Amino acid sequence: MTLSAREVSEMRFETPVVAVVMMMAGPAFAQQCNTGTSSIRGEVRDITGALIVGATVTVDDTASVRSNEMGRFESACVVDGSHSVRVEAAGFEAITEVARVTKEARPFVAKLKPSATMEVEAVDASGVDSEDVAGSKTLQANDLKQMADDPDEFARQLQVLAAAAGGAPGQAIITVDGFQNSGSIPPKSAIAFIRVNPDLFSSEYERPPYQGGRVEIFTRPGQSKLHGALFTTQSGASLNAKDPFALSRAAIGKQRYGFELSGPIRKNKADFSIALEHRQIDQFAVVNAVSLDAAGNDVNVIGNVATPQTLWEGSARLGWMPNAKNNLTATYSANVNSLHNVGVGGVVLQQAGYDSLQQEHALRFTNLQTLSARLVHESRVGYTWRTRDDAPQSNASSLVVAGAFTGGGATTQMLRSHQRDFEIDDDILYTRGKHSVKAGVQLLNSTLNDSLPTNFNGQYVFGGDAVGSTTISGLEQYRRALLGLQGGTPTLYTITAGTAAISLNQLRVVLYAQDQWKLRPRLSLSYGLRYAVQSSPTTLRNAGPRLGLAWSPDKAQRWVFHARTGLFFSPIETATVLEANRLNGIQQRQMQIYSPVYGQPITTGTATITTLRAPLPGLSQTPSLQSHVGVEHEFTGHWHAQANLYLVRGWDLLRSRNINAPLDGQPGGPRPLAPNTNIDQYQQTGIVHGNVMFLGVDQHSLRHVQIFAGYIRMDLRTNADAAGVYPQNSTSDIGETARPSWLATHHAIAFSNVTLPLGLALSTQFDAASGNPYNVTTGFDTNGDGVLNDRPRFATGAESTVYRTSFGSLTGAGAGRYIQRNAGTLPWNIHLDSNLSRSFALPHRDGGDATSLAVNVRSTNLLNHTNATAVGGVLGSPLFGRAYAADPGRRVEVGLRYSF
């Protein structure tokens, strides 16, 4: 639940919250109902008796209404008798009560108590708010019911919504119950509401919007009376479509079972809630590769490989209000996933997969203290432990035939990862006059104890070969190796040796302060400062100011203009530090052998190149400056539209470079620092710049239809996709600045909820995105820097091997100009998900609690569109320019939920 600054400013004595200003007025009262039916009328108040505006009231899990400006509501007509009424409001704990409905029934009065998570909002209920954010959205229980139950699909839908704030699709951070540390999504039945994209320009938040946005999940508290539910979801092969690249439909299915229970321990003092889910997902990966038969002929390898998952999710929550000034909660959540044949699919054969057991457990405590009518204090302490244990299907050397297939054993081998995170957050919220100040400290200590035998099994790479101006593909090179023909030497063999066990401890501490200042009823200013430090590596100079302004030119405030800017600092991630420490020459070192004998790589007498990671230089947290200008307008009929432009500029981004690459660009050439050694170093030489545009429209005041739609256009350029990405040439950045690999230039989204006749409810989630970029490479390492990312050149006409492509005439060896990085683009991805549901009130004894049975039919990828995820990018390979992997085809599942 959330507690706003405005709410605090309106508190009565010892009252944690009084009012929440949400949407427009509710329905008119005194509607006419047929004989034997009546409407449920009433009011929504807090525990002090203050009215709550905009609360959501749901009767028997059907269509909802909202309380009006007087806190009152009236439902649609229902049959006389007892009905289940659920009342929710942002900043309060939801309740479910039983209402006795007749023509003479007294008005229903719902009293909500505050939740244990506060949120800074406007000081004054009237006027503009500089914290309004483009693409912000709050998902209540009714919205959540319409979304996917499958954890992967549910996460994808949330990521789509988060992209509306101008961020990279699929990169949003997901947090639970106000904690800064990211966590697994809890069971959907345990979620009270979800807030997508709060004010990311507030100094409270770390990541700039362009990095993906933010999703904040808040779990459900206990109820004032004992309530629960049993539910199941079933799906079988007959309901599901064949996957795009499969030759036949696999035995795809899903079984999901669970229950939830919540209620009081002591009335108005303590409550509890528990939830448990089990999923058995019978899914398949489609292998779509090219290999060789016994005679050395090309043969397509296409087949369904079972990749089943067994998932357990559970949560328990205990709430306690020892007095009017303290609201304590304790939660425990667990997520245990057993996955099989991970990594298989596309060009990766089953033998190169691995099984993985992944667990996350989180124990968290929160205390919300109302110290006075102006001062609120919130403390959060969390301890999270995560484990991952991988078991490969094969211990053989990995075999990569560029652009054709990947076989042998998985390079991760027997990976063991154990991580412990300890988090403390302490915030205060102080309101006085036109100011609302929120300040706090955030501490996160991460301890990793891993065993990383990466590439201990060795790896052969057949990337193709260039002899003068003539080239052969990796598959042809592999064929010659098997048949003992000339030119059958692998491009490269690598193997890592050393100690697999490695540990790391990293501490991050943040101080922040943010003020929301209502200068005038139509002019609001927000400003703040965030200061962050971290260890491993130590960074100290990371002070980021934030500033926001909102102004409305008209008294009715139908037009509102926004402007924001902020300096952001992103910490050095533990994965980067761990990799630098792992391959440091003492812990582990990698050997590279060019042109080895296949099957006997070490004994060939070929010179061995040692690859190391240089110690981390004096790094700083990665800075970026992001600004936002926007306008929104309220049209007739409560249609709301907005247009927003984000300006992005980042520098000192992390990327990798071989600082000891051969000076003459030849594998055996002289090196500046040490002979026969690759020294890879993380450097802060990357940049990103560009803009993101978001256009949106929404309609939430209609009783039967709710719509949220938007269009995002991302125009960003960078030379540093990630910390582990290398330029193709260690001495040149020509052609490196390009679209980020995660960027979809065009992105359209549309979410809708429609109430149909016969009590049916239909929701749809539409997401269409132009394809992400992909790199076009030769598969060679012509310059000897140890990285197989060399790009082809445009043919000049003098080359003997030329490929006619959609990019033009390309060659793997020549003197022409190099093609740009990330020159390729995947096809459009189009997802349409839908959910059709109906809730039935079940007979029960008079005066008893209402029960209901909800039925739903849900479909993902309803259009059965081929959503390609990979296209062959190795020049001359058999899959070049062809899509060979895709998201699953249409999936359909049927669910039942019994609530009591």
Side-chain angles (χ1 to χ4, degrees):
M1 147 163 203
T2 57
L3 180 62
S4 71
R6 183 183 64 255
E7 292 161 0
V8 175
S9 70
E10 296 175 351
M11 289 184 202
R12 300 181 181 182
F13 297 109
E14 299 185 347
T15 305
V17 69
V18 174
V20 175
V21 177
M22 294 179 65
M23 301 191 67
M24 299 298 171
F29 283 79
Q31 62 178 301
Q32 298 297 317
C33 295
N34 297 328
T35 303
T37 64
S38 306
S39 61
I40 301 177
R41 292 179 290 171
E43 296 178 339
V44 183
R45 298 178 177 270
D46 72 0
I47 57 177
T48 69
L51 296 169
I52 298 177
V53 178
T56 302
V57 182
T58 306
V59 179
D60 295 332
D61 290 329
T62 57
S64 303
V65 295
R66 293 186 182 271
S67 57
N68 64 12
E69 74 279 359
M70 299 299 294
R72 298 174 182 174
F73 70 90
E74 181 176 15
S75 74
C77 298
V78 295
V79 178
D80 290 350
S82 296
H83 294 268
S84 172
V85 180
R86 181 171 181 80
V87 184
E88 302 167 288
F92 297 88
E93 295 184 353
I95 64 169
T96 302
E97 302 284 0
V98 175
R100 180 67 180 170
V101 181
T102 63
K103 290 290 186 183
E104 295 77 24
R106 298 178 61 184
F108 178 86
V109 178
K111 290 189 175 182
L112 306 183
K113 68 179 183 179
S115 173
T117 302
M118 60 184 180
E119 173 193 1
V120 181
E121 294 184 359
V123 177
D124 190 350
S126 62
V128 300
D129 183 357
S130 63
E131 291 190 329
D132 291 339
V133 181
S136 294
K137 186 174 179 63
T138 299
L139 305 175
Q140 300 287 356
N142 273 347
D143 303 306
L144 296 174
K145 285 192 304 183
Q146 307 301 324
M147 300 184 75
D149 294 312
D150 180 272
D152 294 333
E153 289 297 328
F154 185 35
R156 181 182 62 79
Q157 291 175 346
L158 293 176
Q159 292 281 359
V160 168
L161 285 171
Q171 303 298 314
I173 187 172
I174 298 178
T175 65
V176 180
D177 287 334
F179 286 82
Q180 299 298 314
N181 191 20
S182 60
S184 298
I185 297 178
K188 205 172 73 170
S189 58
I191 298 174
F193 67 95
I194 297 177
R195 184 175 55 192
V196 180
N197 291 330
D199 181 12
L200 300 178
F201 283 87
S202 168
S203 61
E204 182 180 359
Y205 300 114
E206 174 182 88
R207 288 163 41 114
Y210 88 90
Q211 288 187 351
R214 186 179 183 90
V215 176
E216 298 183 335
I217 298 175
F218 297 92
T219 55
R220 186 186 303 279
Q223 299 295 304
S224 57
K225 292 186 179 181
L226 190 66
H227 291 284
L230 299 172
F231 50 86
T232 182
T233 299
Q234 300 291 321
S235 177
S238 61
L239 299 176
N240 300 310
K242 177 177 70 67
D243 280 342
F245 295 107
L247 298 179
S248 61
R249 182 165 55 183
I252 304 162
K254 179 193 299 182
Q255 297 80 43
R256 170 179 173 260
Y257 307 93
F259 80 92
E260 60 186 53
L261 185 68
S262 66
I265 299 175
R266 184 180 177 187
K267 188 174 182 180
N268 296 326
K269 285 290 185 179
D271 54 53
F272 77 96
S273 64
I274 57 174
L276 180 66
E277 289 189 19
H278 171 64
R279 293 186 180 98
Q280 181 63 51
I281 304 175
D282 298 319
Q283 59 187 16
F284 289 75
V286 180
V287 173
N288 183 18
V290 179
S291 186
L292 301 175
D293 61 17
N297 300 312
D298 292 9
V299 58
N300 292 328
V301 181
I302 302 176
N304 295 316
V305 177
T307 57
Q309 297 185 30
T310 302
L311 299 89
W312 287 93
E313 293 181 291
S315 65
R317 172 171 172 153
L318 177 66
W320 180 39
M321 293 186 68
N323 53 55
K325 291 189 175 183
N326 286 273
N327 192 355
L328 301 170
T329 60
T331 62
Y332 168 73
S333 62
N335 189 301
V336 180
N337 298 339
S338 178
L339 305 97
H340 300 276
N341 288 324
V342 181
V344 177
V347 296
V348 181
L349 307 181
Q350 181 175 358
Q351 59 187 270
Y354 59 92
D355 297 340
S356 184
L357 178 62
Q358 302 175 9
Q359 303 184 57
E360 178 180 292
H361 303 265
L363 184 62
R364 290 170 170 172
F365 303 91
T366 302
N367 182 29
L368 179 66
Q369 292 179 295
T370 308
L371 301 177
S372 71
R374 298 183 183 275
L375 184 63
V376 174
H377 174 233
E378 183 178 28
S379 300
R380 293 186 296 274
V381 178
Y383 183 69
T384 304
W385 58 103
R386 301 180 179 92
T387 64
R388 172 180 165 182
D389 298 301
D390 292 351
Q393 305 295 349
S394 170
N395 300 118
S397 294
S398 174
L399 175 61
V400 177
V401 179
F405 73 92
T406 297
T411 58
T412 56
Q413 289 297 287
M414 297 292 292
L415 179 147
R416 301 286 183 269
S417 176
H418 294 193
Q419 180 174 345
R420 306 289 185 268
D421 291 340
F422 179 67
E423 178 179 356
I424 297 177
D425 300 307
D426 198 78
D427 306 307
I428 59 170
L429 176 63
Y430 178 72
T431 60
R432 185 177 182 86
K434 296 181 179 182
H435 292 270
S436 173
V437 178
K438 186 176 183 182
V441 57
Q442 302 165 358
L443 181 150
L444 177 63
N445 188 79
S446 297
T447 302
L448 290 82
N449 292 287
D450 293 353
S451 177
L452 304 175
T454 306
N455 198 35
F456 275 31
N457 58 327
Q459 182 181 74
Y460 289 98
V461 177
F462 290 87
D465 196 9
V467 181
S469 59
T470 302
T471 63
I472 61 173
S473 70
L475 189 62
E476 173 62 19
Q477 190 181 23
Y478 178 59
R479 185 184 72 85
R480 295 184 183 188
L482 293 181
L483 299 178
L485 301 176
Q486 184 179 5
T489 303
T491 302
L492 184 67
Y493 176 79
T494 66
I495 189 168
T496 302
T499 303
I502 187 169
S503 60
L504 173 69
N505 182 265
Q506 185 184 82
L507 175 66
R508 302 179 188 174
V509 180
V510 172
L511 300 174
Y512 78 91
Q514 184 78 15
D515 182 22
Q516 178 75 17
W517 184 8
K518 185 60 67 70
L519 296 168
R520 297 284 189 274
R522 290 184 281 138
L523 180 63
S524 180
L525 174 71
S526 67
Y527 56 94
L529 180 68
R530 180 182 180 89
Y531 177 68
V533 298
Q534 75 170 90
S535 66
S536 300
T538 300
T539 66
L540 300 176
R541 294 178 295 179
N542 310 296
R546 312 286 174 85
L547 182 66
L549 187 70
W551 172 68
S552 176
D554 61 306
K555 292 184 178 180
Q557 297 174 13
R558 291 187 175 275
W559 289 94
V560 180
F561 295 88
H562 296 281
R564 292 180 179 82
T565 191
L567 184 61
F568 295 81
F569 288 90
S570 301
I572 308 299
E573 298 295 338
T574 55
T576 300
V577 183
L578 203 66
E579 178 65 11
N581 294 346
R582 180 184 71 87
L583 208 61
N584 61 5
I586 300 173
Q587 188 79 25
Q588 295 179 20
R589 63 176 55 206
Q590 184 183 93
M591 293 183 294
Q592 290 187 324
I593 302 174
Y594 287 92
S595 302
V597 173
Y598 187 45
Q600 296 179 319
I602 306 296
T603 60
T604 60
T606 306
T608 298
I609 308 297
T610 300
T611 297
L612 308 174
R613 273 280 178 186
L616 287 176
L619 301 180
S620 65
Q621 295 195 17
T622 303
S624 62
L625 179 67
Q626 184 148 335
S627 303
H628 161 241
V629 290
V631 59
E632 56 182 298
H633 181 61
E634 189 81 13
F635 291 94
T636 304
H638 302 305
W639 285 91
H640 176 258
Q642 55 182 306
N644 302 275
L645 179 66
Y646 293 86
L647 305 176
V648 178
R649 181 176 178 268
W651 59 98
D652 291 348
L653 272 65
L654 278 172
R655 57 197 290 219
S656 292
R657 187 186 295 271
N658 183 351
I659 60 175
N660 195 40
L663 295 173
D664 59 0
Q666 300 295 323
R671 298 171 182 264
L673 300 177
N676 297 327
T677 305
N678 292 321
I679 303 178
D680 297 338
Q681 184 181 58
Y682 288 115
Q683 298 182 340
Q684 290 191 288
T685 57
I687 54 96
V688 62
H689 59 83
N691 62 81
V692 180
M693 181 181 66
F694 172 73
L695 305 175
V697 63
D698 59 89
Q699 167 59 268
H700 293 283
S701 64
L702 300 178
R703 175 173 294 189
H704 298 294
V705 180
Q706 294 184 339
I707 298 172
F708 173 79
Y711 166 72
I712 306 135
R713 185 183 185 278
M714 305 189 73
D715 184 13
L716 300 175
R717 298 294 183 270
T718 183
N719 61 356
D721 276 358
V725 173
Y726 296 74
Q728 76 154 359
N729 189 322
S730 295
T731 61
S732 174
D733 265 353
I734 295 176
E736 294 297 322
T737 301
R739 297 174 297 167
S741 59
W742 43 259
L743 182 143
T745 302
H746 305 283
H747 199 175
I749 59 176
F751 281 54
S752 69
N753 292 307
V754 182
T755 302
L756 302 173
L758 304 177
L760 294 171
L762 174 65
S763 71
T764 60
Q765 297 90 36
F766 176 79
D767 170 27
S770 59
N772 290 358
Y774 67 89
N775 207 18
V776 178
T777 64
T778 63
F780 312 154
D781 180 18
T782 306
N783 54 33
D785 62 359
V787 185
L788 301 177
N789 67 346
D790 295 8
R791 301 192 298 271
R793 298 172 181 266
F794 288 100
T796 62
E799 301 83 4
S800 59
T801 305
V802 176
Y803 300 92
R804 311 297 179 186
T805 74
S806 59
F807 309 101
S809 297
L810 301 178
T811 181
R817 176 174 54 90
Y818 283 110
I819 192 173
Q820 184 83 6
R821 187 176 67 88
N822 284 351
T825 303
L826 292 169
W828 275 73
N829 277 12
I830 300 175
H831 289 88
L832 176 61
D833 303 342
S834 66
N835 184 65
L836 182 65
S837 61
R838 173 74 158 87
S839 183
F840 301 89
L842 301 179
H844 56 277
R845 296 180 180 178
D846 291 345
D849 288 347
T851 60
S852 65
L853 179 67
V855 183
N856 75 287
V857 179
R858 177 176 286 110
S859 175
T860 59
N861 194 6
L862 181 63
L863 301 177
N864 200 31
H865 185 264
T866 299
N867 294 309
T869 58
V871 170
V874 180
L875 185 68
S877 68
L879 294 174
F880 180 74
R882 290 170 46 194
Y884 60 82
D887 285 335
R890 181 174 53 247
R891 299 289 187 261
V892 178
E893 59 187 44
V894 179
L896 293 174
R897 179 183 178 88
Y898 170 69
S899 302
F900 58 89

